[in-house]
Amino acid sequence: MPTPRRYWLMKSEPDSFSIDDLARVGTEPWNGVRNYQARNHMRQMKPGDGVLFYHSSCPVPGIAGLATVATEAYPDPTQFDRKSDYYDPKSTREDPRWSLVDVKFDRKFASVLPLEEIKQHADALGDEFALIKRGTRLSVLPVTAAQWKTLLKLEPRA
DNA sequence: GCCAACGTTGGC
DNA sequence: GCCAACGTTGGC
Protein backbone atom coordinates (compact mmCIF):
# COMPACT_ATOMS: atom_id res chain seq x y z
CA MET A 1 0.00 0.00 0.00
CA PRO A 2 1.40 3.41 -0.91
CA THR A 3 2.22 5.87 1.82
CA PRO A 4 -0.53 8.49 1.98
CA ARG A 5 0.36 11.98 0.90
CA ARG A 6 1.48 14.14 3.75
CA TYR A 7 1.55 17.87 4.27
CA TRP A 8 4.15 20.34 5.49
CA LEU A 9 4.77 24.02 5.98
CA MET A 10 8.12 25.49 5.01
CA LYS A 11 9.25 28.98 5.96
CA SER A 12 11.39 31.24 3.86
CA GLU A 13 12.33 34.87 4.14
CA PRO A 14 11.06 36.46 0.91
CA ASP A 15 14.07 38.79 0.88
CA SER A 16 16.28 35.78 0.30
CA PHE A 17 13.87 33.37 -1.43
CA SER A 18 10.22 34.12 -2.14
CA ILE A 19 7.32 32.31 -3.81
CA ASP A 20 8.10 34.38 -6.93
CA ASP A 21 11.65 33.06 -6.88
CA LEU A 22 10.31 29.53 -6.69
CA ALA A 23 7.91 30.24 -9.55
CA ARG A 24 10.83 31.49 -11.62
CA VAL A 25 13.21 28.57 -10.99
CA GLY A 26 10.52 25.87 -10.84
CA THR A 27 12.36 23.57 -8.46
CA GLU A 28 14.71 24.50 -5.64
CA PRO A 29 16.92 22.50 -3.27
CA TRP A 30 15.82 23.60 0.20
CA ASN A 31 19.32 24.08 1.54
CA GLY A 32 20.57 25.74 4.66
CA VAL A 33 18.30 24.12 7.24
CA ARG A 34 20.45 23.73 10.35
CA ASN A 35 17.93 22.67 12.91
CA TYR A 36 17.56 19.02 13.82
CA GLN A 37 13.79 19.01 14.14
CA ALA A 38 13.36 20.70 10.78
CA ARG A 39 15.89 18.30 9.25
CA ASN A 40 14.07 15.30 10.69
CA HIS A 41 10.85 16.50 9.14
CA MET A 42 12.51 16.76 5.74
CA ARG A 43 13.83 13.23 6.14
CA GLN A 44 10.24 12.04 6.46
CA MET A 45 9.12 13.73 3.27
CA LYS A 46 8.16 11.84 0.13
CA PRO A 47 7.83 13.11 -3.43
CA GLY A 48 4.31 14.38 -3.96
CA ASP A 49 3.80 15.64 -0.40
CA GLY A 50 2.08 19.02 -0.20
CA VAL A 51 3.93 22.12 0.98
CA LEU A 52 2.57 25.42 2.25
CA PHE A 53 5.13 28.03 1.27
CA TYR A 54 5.36 30.55 4.11
CA HIS A 55 6.91 34.00 4.07
CA SER A 56 8.56 34.93 7.35
CA SER A 57 10.34 38.01 8.71
CA CYS A 58 8.59 40.38 6.34
CA PRO A 59 5.84 43.04 6.46
CA VAL A 60 3.01 40.51 6.09
CA PRO A 61 4.10 37.09 7.29
CA GLY A 62 1.87 34.31 6.03
CA ILE A 63 1.26 31.60 3.47
CA ALA A 64 2.21 32.78 0.00
CA GLY A 65 1.47 29.71 -2.09
CA LEU A 66 1.72 25.98 -2.59
CA ALA A 67 4.58 23.71 -3.55
CA THR A 68 5.23 20.00 -3.82
CA VAL A 69 8.03 17.87 -2.42
CA ALA A 70 10.00 16.73 -5.49
CA THR A 71 12.61 14.34 -4.03
CA GLU A 72 13.43 12.17 -1.09
CA ALA A 73 15.80 13.77 1.41
CA TYR A 74 19.47 13.78 0.43
CA PRO A 75 22.61 15.38 1.90
CA ASP A 76 22.68 19.18 1.74
CA PRO A 77 25.76 19.93 -0.38
CA THR A 78 26.28 23.33 1.23
CA GLN A 79 27.40 21.67 4.46
CA PHE A 80 30.62 20.57 2.68
CA ASP A 81 31.26 23.89 0.94
CA ARG A 82 33.79 25.95 2.87
CA LYS A 83 32.70 29.08 1.07
CA SER A 84 29.05 28.64 1.97
CA ASP A 85 27.36 30.36 4.88
CA TYR A 86 25.92 26.94 5.63
CA TYR A 87 29.30 25.19 5.81
CA ASP A 88 29.47 22.80 8.77
CA PRO A 89 33.02 21.72 9.64
CA LYS A 90 31.66 18.99 11.89
CA SER A 91 29.82 17.23 9.10
CA THR A 92 31.49 14.52 7.00
CA ARG A 93 30.62 12.96 3.65
CA GLU A 94 30.60 9.55 5.30
CA ASP A 95 28.05 10.73 7.84
CA PRO A 96 26.34 13.89 6.58
CA ARG A 97 24.61 15.81 9.28
CA TRP A 98 22.20 17.90 7.21
CA SER A 99 19.61 16.88 4.66
CA LEU A 100 17.32 18.65 2.25
CA VAL A 101 14.63 17.96 -0.31
CA ASP A 102 13.90 19.64 -3.61
CA VAL A 103 10.72 21.69 -3.59
CA LYS A 104 8.70 22.27 -6.76
CA PHE A 105 6.48 25.28 -7.44
CA ASP A 106 2.79 24.55 -7.53
CA ARG A 107 0.98 27.89 -7.42
CA LYS A 108 1.02 31.31 -5.87
CA PHE A 109 -1.92 32.59 -3.84
CA ALA A 110 -3.69 35.69 -5.22
CA SER A 111 -2.42 37.34 -2.05
CA VAL A 112 -0.65 36.18 1.07
CA LEU A 113 -2.84 34.49 3.67
CA PRO A 114 -1.64 36.45 6.68
CA LEU A 115 -0.51 34.82 9.89
CA GLU A 116 -2.80 37.29 11.61
CA GLU A 117 -5.81 35.72 9.92
CA ILE A 118 -4.57 32.18 10.42
CA LYS A 119 -4.42 32.86 14.14
CA GLN A 120 -8.10 33.75 14.15
CA HIS A 121 -8.86 30.15 13.20
CA ALA A 122 -6.96 28.58 16.07
CA ASP A 123 -10.10 26.68 17.07
CA ALA A 124 -10.24 24.80 13.78
CA LEU A 125 -6.47 24.39 13.49
CA GLY A 126 -5.81 23.35 17.06
CA ASP A 127 -3.72 25.12 19.67
CA GLU A 128 -0.89 22.66 19.18
CA PHE A 129 -0.37 23.76 15.58
CA ALA A 130 3.28 24.80 15.62
CA LEU A 131 2.75 27.79 13.34
CA ILE A 132 0.53 29.60 15.82
CA LYS A 133 1.94 28.16 19.01
CA ARG A 134 3.74 30.80 20.96
CA GLY A 135 7.51 30.63 20.91
CA THR A 136 7.78 28.09 18.11
CA ARG A 137 10.36 29.01 15.53
CA LEU A 138 10.51 25.77 13.62
CA SER A 139 11.09 26.42 9.91
CA VAL A 140 9.83 23.07 8.60
CA LEU A 141 6.78 21.68 10.31
CA PRO A 142 4.13 19.04 9.72
CA VAL A 143 0.56 19.95 8.81
CA THR A 144 -2.33 17.53 9.22
CA ALA A 145 -4.78 16.82 6.41
CA ALA A 146 -7.46 18.65 8.41
CA GLN A 147 -5.23 21.70 8.90
CA TRP A 148 -4.32 21.68 5.21
CA LYS A 149 -8.00 21.67 4.28
CA THR A 150 -8.80 24.45 6.73
CA LEU A 151 -5.97 26.64 5.48
CA LEU A 152 -6.86 26.15 1.81
CA LYS A 153 -10.40 27.26 2.59
CA LEU A 154 -8.89 30.51 3.88
CA GLU A 155 -6.96 31.09 0.68
CA PRO A 156 -7.54 34.67 -0.51
CA ARG A 157 -9.39 34.75 -3.81
CA ALA A 158 -8.17 38.16 -4.83
C1' DG B 1 15.12 47.82 16.34
C1' DC B 2 13.31 45.28 20.25
C1' DC B 3 12.86 41.29 22.65
C1' DA B 4 10.91 36.69 23.97
C1' DA B 5 11.70 32.06 23.18
C1' DC B 6 14.44 28.59 22.07
C1' DG B 7 18.68 25.86 20.51
C1' DT B 8 23.56 25.19 20.82
C1' DT B 9 28.05 25.50 22.81
C1' DG B 10 31.52 24.81 26.00
C1' DG B 11 33.53 25.20 30.69
C1' DC B 12 33.38 22.81 34.73
C1' DG C 1 25.44 16.17 32.92
C1' DC C 2 24.55 20.91 34.40
C1' DC C 3 23.88 25.45 33.13
C1' DA C 4 25.39 30.14 31.80
C1' DA C 5 26.45 32.53 27.79
C1' DC C 6 25.64 33.26 23.36
C1' DG C 7 23.38 33.16 18.77
C1' DT C 8 19.23 32.83 16.04
C1' DT C 9 14.42 33.13 14.83
C1' DG C 10 10.71 35.78 13.80
C1' DG C 11 6.64 38.55 15.22
C1' DC C 12 5.71 43.05 16.36
Side-chain angles (χ1 to χ4, degrees):
Chain A
M1 199 167 107
T3 315
R5 186 183 193 223
R6 289 207 274 174
Y7 305 98
W8 311 91
L9 182 143
M10 299 175 89
K11 296 181 185 175
S12 182
E13 298 188 16
D15 282 353
S16 37
F17 192 79
S18 71
I19 189 76
D20 289 325
D21 293 322
L22 186 62
R24 189 167 39 76
V25 299
T27 302
E28 178 76 2
W30 205 266
N31 59 35
V33 170
R34 295 294 179 267
N35 169 282
Y36 289 105
Q37 239 184 307
R39 178 205 68 180
N40 292 344
H41 287 142
M42 285 201 287
R43 287 183 176 178
Q44 291 174 34
M45 291 181 182
K46 300 287 175 198
D49 282 0
V51 175
L52 299 163
F53 192 107
Y54 182 90
H55 282 176
S56 66
S57 296
C58 57
V60 184
I63 296 167
L66 301 181
T68 307
V69 174
T71 63
E72 301 264 345
Y74 62 97
D76 182 344
T78 63
Q79 69 196 305
F80 307 123
D81 179 1
R82 289 174 182 280
K83 296 193 197 83
S84 170
D85 287 345
Y86 303 126
Y87 177 63
D88 183 349
K90 290 181 188 160
S91 186
T92 64
R93 290 193 184 269
E94 294 70 36
D95 186 20
R97 180 176 293 195
W98 304 110
S99 302
L100 56 69
V101 296
D102 288 1
V103 170
K104 185 170 167 286
F105 178 74
D106 186 351
R107 62 189 171 84
K108 181 184 174 179
F109 283 3
S111 62
V112 171
L113 169 60
L115 176 62
E116 193 183 12
E117 191 180 341
I118 294 170
K119 282 179 170 172
Q120 289 167 14
H121 299 267
D123 285 351
L125 294 165
D127 292 337
E128 75 286 356
F129 186 35
L131 186 66
I132 53 178
K133 205 172 158 189
R134 186 160 176 266
T136 304
R137 301 169 307 166
L138 197 56
S139 64
V140 178
L141 52 108
V143 175
T144 67
Q147 288 163 346
W148 175 271
K149 209 173 155 186
T150 299
L151 290 166
L152 284 196
K153 271 192 220 154
L154 298 175
E155 178 184 350
R157 296 294 161 193

